[in-house]
Amino acid sequence: MSNIKDIIPATKAVFEGLKQVFQLLTKKQYFAALKEFLNIFRTTYTGYIKGRFITVKGKKVPLAAVLTVAVILLYIIYPSSEEAKPVNNPSISQAEMLAQSNYYNRDGVIIDKMHKCDAAVCGNLENTNDEDISSITIPVAFFDREGILVYEGRIKATNVPVKENKEFQIPSEVPFDFFKLGVVIVEK
């Protein structure tokens, strides 16, 4: 393969063949493109690689083996575009994220089903304890579309009986786009 007169025509033929493959791909003729690519590969292998050897420290090594090892090393060393991207967990929508952050289930108290209602936040409060709770403070922060805090409100439920399920409403004095549950304070 050291004869330059043999390499130049072979390179031109491979280049023309690859151009043909890309033209077929742009025309969405995938089977014909695959067939042309395999034809280029077969011609290159049988005409220029098969039966050729490289001498390394006095031993003959098949050129096909050297090229195979080189391709494998390049694949291992060069990171693919998929590996370069960080692995993301399945994403959830902003609404789902806010719904999860607007849920409370601790100290025998469940606060859920929070949603925007008129100019307030409505929700459900449940005492799952075996005893009454003297007070529960439920704070809410109200935000505008840009995520700027526009108002803070809270309610305090007192003497919540055992296994009691109550609806609540926390009004806002200013218009808001979304809300977030704050730190709930439970006093038994």
Side-chain angles (χ1 to χ4, degrees):
M1 267 184 71
S2 63
N3 190 352
I4 194 77
K5 292 179 184 177
D6 291 338
I7 294 175
I8 291 176
T11 306
K12 286 183 181 178
V14 169
F15 181 69
E16 291 300 321
L18 288 175
K19 281 178 28 180
Q20 179 67 27
V21 168
F22 285 113
Q23 286 175 355
L24 291 169
L25 286 173
T26 57
K27 293 177 185 176
K28 296 185 179 182
Q29 297 176 348
Y30 302 114
F31 183 71
L34 177 64
K35 192 174 170 183
E36 181 68 26
F37 179 76
L38 292 175
N39 188 27
I40 293 168
F41 179 75
R42 181 179 48 85
T43 305
T44 305
Y45 178 75
T46 57
Y48 302 100
I49 299 174
K50 185 178 180 182
R52 306 288 171 118
F53 297 93
I54 295 178
T55 305
V56 178
K57 295 186 179 181
K59 294 187 178 189
K60 288 177 129 182
V61 179
L63 182 59
V66 172
L67 292 175
T68 303
V69 169
V71 168
I72 291 171
L73 286 175
L74 286 175
Y75 179 76
I76 291 171
I77 293 171
Y78 187 74
S80 70
S81 61
E82 290 180 16
E83 291 176 20
K85 294 178 184 176
V87 177
N88 293 332
N89 294 332
S91 63
I92 59 174
S93 70
Q94 183 178 9
E96 289 175 313
M97 183 176 67
L98 288 172
Q100 288 177 0
S101 66
N102 292 328
Y103 177 80
Y104 181 86
N105 186 0
R106 279 183 247 141
D107 305 321
V109 175
I110 297 175
I111 299 172
D112 63 351
K113 300 178 184 171
M114 293 182 68
H115 60 280
K116 184 176 179 180
C117 56
D118 297 326
V121 169
C122 297
N124 194 32
L125 166 66
E126 183 178 355
N127 177 5
T128 60
N129 282 316
D130 293 333
E131 57 188 46
D132 292 351
I133 297 177
S134 63
S135 74
I136 302 170
T137 305
I138 306 171
V140 174
F142 300 89
F143 299 92
D144 67 5
R145 181 170 292 144
E146 287 79 33
I148 298 171
L149 178 67
V150 293
Y151 187 73
E152 290 181 329
R154 71 182 63 235
I155 62 161
K156 186 171 188 175
T158 56
N159 299 324
V160 181
V162 176
K163 308 297 183 197
E164 181 73 20
N165 194 353
K166 291 184 176 182
E167 292 184 3
F168 65 86
Q169 184 175 9
I170 304 172
S172 172
E173 294 180 4
V174 296
F176 67 97
D177 289 299
F178 65 95
F179 61 92
K180 199 169 188 180
L181 180 65
V183 177
V184 177
I185 300 170
V186 178
E187 296 174 12
K188 295 185 178 185

